[in-house]
Amino acid sequence: MTETASKPAQTEVWITGIGLATSLGEGLDANWAALQEKRINVDEKGFAPYIVHPLMPVTFDSQIPKKGDQRQMEAWQRIGTYAAGLALDSAGIKGNKDILSKIDMVVAAGGGERDLNVDTGVLTAEAKGANAPGFLNERLMSDLRPTLFLAQLSNLLAGNIAIVHGIGGTSRTFMGEEVAGADAARIALSRIASGESDIALIGGSHNGERKDLMVLYEFGDFNLKDKFAPVWARKDHAGFALGSAGAFLVLESKAHAEARGAKPFAKLSSVVADLARRKTPGDMAATLEKLWAKLPKRDGKGAIISGATGAEPATSEERAFLKGHADFPVRSTGTMFGHTMETQFPLGIALAALSTSRGALFPPNDSTGTEIEMQGAPTQIVVVGAGHWRGEGMALVEAVS
């Protein structure tokens, strides 16, 4: 079992920019309005029997103006590059060459998209007997673009963000599904809190409308099938509905933000992560309790934003953990946005920061009673991110007085 945590904060770290492109809309106002209205955007037919939360239509030109740049990206890169631009706009640093030249970037990304047409062509040709020596290599070399080798490289997302938005600082990419998002936030927070960095862009993106992913997750029986249900109502109908989303945040030291006159949405006080063995029942719930104990003291009006997937047994274990903290109202991102893998944790932090800045937790959207109404403004929100089969993370987001 491994355990990691952000370094003790030597300087306050603020969230000064948020960029969201999701199945509920683009931008903060559109997503907040959808949450208030309890809208859920799901497609039960396009990928039947599997269910997805498709991306709402966005005008990529507004953040990726060159058509050539858009053409060489697959959907997950366009979503991420677009959301990153929204975050830079939100922070008021879009086009600021001085700040962009030094901003660090920490991205959580998966293995990238496959070219299904190439895959299908190769398999069809082989089924018809075209399996001479060198056949596969010849097809891959002639059919795949230079940016592809079976699947797009995960660090291409960071590269495209850097190119399109002119970012010149350090760049790190984490892979590893849900916990990659927690590690991206943890590393960025540690660097800023310790004075190694002044400002960072962090986040991730996910295209849930991918048949290759559905095949992959079906091998583990993880996909939600046939009919949509809220995350907490899936115990006897387990599985996650993949969601398309991009979520990016601008983090910076309080001093750096104040020097440029930036106002914070919230402060990010702590990020902790761990990896439970999950060999016996209760392992994951025990690990979440241990992470909870490592967060700074919670003495404000609190809530929890959970990235529970709907997959079992992880969701039942997270529910058991949440029952031990029943005084904290809970909200699930999986119900509203679908499961967004690497984007799960940055999305939770973004919603926590948005809630504290707007003085209210968005309403529950749950028929089981797990989520309850919250009276008053939350001043502390714990973001919980547990993987569908491995990895746990937790963050504390607080209001800035």
Side-chain angles (χ1 to χ4, degrees), residues 267-297:
K267 63 180 177 181
L268 183 59
S269 299
S270 179
V271 180
V272 290
D274 204 344
L275 181 62
R277 294 187 183 277
R278 301 197 187 186
K279 296 294 185 182
T280 58
D283 280 356
M284 182 183 129
T287 297
L288 290 175
E289 286 291 356
K290 184 165 60 174
L291 294 179
W292 180 272
K294 290 185 174 295
L295 294 177
K297 184 178 179 182

Side-chain angles (χ1 to χ4, degrees), residues 16-32:
T16 55
I18 304 174
L20 292 177
T22 74
S23 59
L24 297 183
E26 60 174 300
L28 305 185
D29 290 339
N31 276 276
W32 189 254

Side-chain angles (χ1 to χ4, degrees), residues 120-139:
T120 303
V122 169
L123 291 173
T124 300
E126 286 203 344
K128 293 180 178 179
N131 54 5
F135 163 76
L136 180 60
N137 283 342
E138 289 175 6
R139 288 296 304 269

Side-chain angles (χ1 to χ4, degrees), residues 5-15 185-186 189-190 193 251 266-272 294-298 349 379-381 394-400:
S6 55
K7 296 178 182 178
Q10 295 149 1
T11 184
E12 200 167 288
V13 178
W14 284 0
I15 299 170
R186 180 178 62 83
L189 174 62
S190 294
L251 307 181
K267 63 180 177 181
L268 183 59
S269 299
S270 179
V271 180
V272 290
K294 290 185 174 295
L295 294 177
K297 184 178 179 182
R298 292 164 299 283
I349 294 177
T379 57
Q380 295 179 315
I381 297 180
M394 204 171 286
L396 178 62
V397 176
E398 300 186 274
V400 178

Side-chain angles (χ1 to χ4, degrees), residues 51-351:
I51 297 167
V52 300
H53 295 247
L55 187 75
M56 286 289 281
V58 300
T59 306
F60 288 110
D61 292 4
S62 63
Q63 294 293 340
I64 314 172
K66 294 183 180 179
K67 292 294 187 181
D69 288 339
Q70 291 186 37
R71 283 194 296 270
Q72 66 87 29
M73 301 181 199
E74 292 294 348
W76 69 288
Q77 292 189 62
R78 289 194 293 271
I79 294 168
T81 304
Y82 183 86
L86 293 179
L88 297 175
D89 270 337
S90 172
I93 58 175
K94 183 77 178 293
N96 187 321
K97 294 182 178 179
D98 180 51
I99 293 178
L100 294 178
S101 67
K102 66 178 182 179
I103 189 172
D104 295 321
M105 181 162 46
V106 191
V107 172
E113 299 190 30
R114 297 186 65 92
D115 190 319
L116 289 185
N117 291 330
V118 174
D119 286 345
T120 303
V122 169
L123 291 173
T124 300
E126 286 203 344
K128 293 180 178 179
N131 54 5
F135 163 76
L136 180 60
N137 283 342
E138 289 175 6
R139 288 296 304 269
L140 294 179
M141 291 179 68
S142 62
D143 294 353
L144 293 180
R145 291 181 290 177
T147 56
L148 285 168
F149 181 74
L150 301 183
Q152 291 183 335
L153 300 175
S154 57
N155 60 6
L156 285 174
L157 175 57
N160 276 298
I161 292 173
I163 291 169
V164 171
H165 299 302
I167 292 175
T170 67
S171 175
R172 294 165 177 79
T173 295
F174 287 95
M175 293 182 66
E177 297 177 322
E178 298 92 348
V179 79
D183 277 339
R186 180 178 62 83
I187 293 299
L189 174 62
S190 294
R191 287 178 57 81
I192 297 173
S194 64
E196 297 174 63
S197 174
D198 292 320
I199 184 169
L201 175 69
I202 74 157
S205 66
H206 186 258
N207 175 21
E209 300 157 71
R210 288 172 53 185
K211 294 180 180 179
D212 58 320
L213 278 187
M214 294 170 197
V215 170
L216 174 67
Y217 291 123
E218 185 59 18
F219 288 140
D221 196 26
F222 289 121
N223 293 313
L224 182 66
K225 302 180 187 71
D226 301 324
K227 184 176 178 59
F228 175 79
V231 163
W232 307 118
R234 297 179 193 172
K235 188 173 182 181
D236 299 320
H237 184 49
F240 52 60
L242 291 175
S244 296
F248 274 81
L249 306 160
V250 173
L251 307 181
E252 60 185 303
S253 68
K254 176 181 178 180
H256 188 275
E258 288 182 332
R260 67 181 189 86
K263 294 183 178 180
F265 288 92
K267 63 180 177 181
L268 183 59
S269 299
S270 179
V271 180
V272 290
D274 204 344
L275 181 62
R277 294 187 183 277
R278 301 197 187 186
K279 296 294 185 182
T280 58
D283 280 356
M284 182 183 129
T287 297
L288 290 175
E289 286 291 356
K290 184 165 60 174
L291 294 179
W292 180 272
K294 290 185 174 295
L295 294 177
K297 184 178 179 182
R298 292 164 299 283
D299 53 7
K301 194 173 182 62
I304 294 174
I305 291 180
S306 164
T309 66
E312 293 294 351
T315 302
S316 288
E317 293 232 1
E318 185 166 344
R319 188 199 301 268
F321 160 76
L322 293 172
K323 284 183 178 178
H325 304 280
D327 51 332
F328 283 72
V330 176
R331 298 291 183 269
S332 164
T333 59
T335 294
M336 307 297 292
F337 298 92
H339 189 46
T340 57
M341 289 295 167
E342 294 82 9
T343 313
Q344 174 208 58
F345 202 77
L347 175 61
I349 294 177
L351 295 176

